[in-house]
Each structure stands twice: as C-alpha cells, then as structure tokens.
Amino acid sequence: MIGNNIEYIQANTEIKCLLKYFPINYIKKLPSKLLEMIYRNSDEKYNIDVDLKKDLKNQNISKKTKDMLAVLTYNYWSSENEKKDIIERLNENEHNYQEELRKKYNADNIFKNRETKVEAVENYVAIVEYKESIFTKIKNWFKRIF
C-alpha cells in the first residue's frame, strides 16, 4: 500500500516541501484529492532543505520524488506539444536503453570477452567390490520372506 511505504512517504513529504516554492497557478492545476493525498501521506517530522539557487534537477531529493514530479509535470502542467516532446524523449531513452542491453547481453558476444582454456583432465576410477554387511543381508532376507 502506498501510504505505508517509507519511500512514498518520503517522496510525498519532499513534494509537499517543494510545492511551497511553485507558483500558485501550478498548484491550482492539481486536483484537490491529489493534494490531500500528498499532505495526508507526508511525514511532518521530515523536512528537506530547498536551495533556491539550484534548479530542480540539482536539489537533494529522492528518485521517487523526481519520478512523481515527472508524472505531475506530464499530467497537469504540460501542454499538448510539451507532452509530445516528453513522450518522444521517453521513447528515445527507452530505445537507447534497450540497445545498450542488446549490445551488453548479445548471445553472439557473450563469450568473446572471455578467454577459454580447455585442459584435459584425467580421472582415475578405481573399481571397488561392494560387499553387503551382515545387517544388510539380514534385512534383505526379512524383506524376501514378508
């Protein structure tokens, strides 16, 4: 559940602290239920230090907070053209990531970087005659009778 997860509580608290510095018209674009959820799921004891000289990317905030801000930006603060640009950048980033994974884990190249050394290993196996113990013989005799 979102309300019980510490990361989400921390992210909601950071967003609550950041919203204090946003223009009022940005806050008015957010639904009241969303604002209620942010305030309800935040921790009053946890505060962040916002450095007004730094931009939002360079603030000391968690990745969850940045992700939530990206969702808020896309859903509430972006125009249609900005949304198209965001989608294009996300698709391009995903494509680049998939290409990187394809290169890294290509089945043809997996073993090219490794030097393989094959050494002949001889295993000597000794043949040992197995003799049943007296207890095993007695146990097997009872099994045959019953």
Side-chain angles (χ1 to χ4, degrees):
M1 183 168 191
I2 291 175
N4 295 334
N5 192 338
I6 294 171
E7 292 176 343
Y8 285 103
I9 292 172
Q10 179 182 358
N12 282 319
T13 305
E14 289 176 352
I15 287 179
K16 182 182 92 171
C17 291
L18 289 172
L19 284 177
K20 294 175 187 175
Y21 300 100
F22 277 60
I24 193 73
N25 60 343
Y26 276 70
I27 297 171
K28 286 183 180 180
K29 290 180 181 179
L30 296 175
S32 60
K33 287 189 178 190
L34 178 65
L35 288 172
E36 277 180 36
M37 186 212 52
I38 290 171
Y39 284 100
R40 186 178 59 239
N41 293 326
S42 63
D43 185 9
E44 297 298 324
K45 298 174 187 172
Y46 176 73
N47 278 323
I48 62 168
D49 294 323
V50 178
D51 188 359
L52 297 176
K53 296 175 185 173
K54 294 181 182 178
D55 61 353
L56 197 54
K57 290 180 187 177
N58 297 324
Q59 294 293 332
N60 188 20
I61 56 177
S62 69
K63 183 174 178 347
K64 290 263 189 238
T65 303
K66 290 178 183 177
D67 293 343
M68 289 174 72
L69 283 172
V71 170
L72 292 176
T73 300
Y74 180 80
N75 287 333
Y76 301 108
W77 299 326
S78 298
S79 66
E80 291 303 317
N81 290 335
E82 291 171 334
K83 286 181 181 182
K84 288 178 185 177
D85 290 341
I86 292 171
I87 292 294
E88 286 175 10
R89 278 189 278 157
L90 289 174
N91 288 336
E92 183 180 331
N93 288 343
E94 180 65 23
H95 177 73
N96 292 340
Y97 176 70
Q98 292 300 326
E99 281 296 317
E100 182 180 317
L101 288 179
R102 223 175 272 116
K103 289 177 185 175
K104 188 175 182 180
Y105 298 110
N106 188 353
D108 298 331
N109 297 331
I110 287 179
F111 298 107
K112 283 185 180 178
N113 295 336
R114 295 183 183 176
E115 292 180 23
T116 57
K117 294 180 182 179
V118 179
E119 297 178 8
V121 177
E122 294 182 23
N123 291 332
Y124 295 103
V125 179
I127 298 176
V128 178
E129 185 179 338
Y130 175 70
K131 292 185 179 181
E132 289 183 348
S133 69
I134 188 74
F135 298 112
T136 308
K137 287 181 182 179
I138 293 171
K139 186 174 85 173
N140 289 338
W141 182 75
F142 277 116
K143 284 183 181 178
R144 282 190 304 238
I145 292 176
F146 297 113

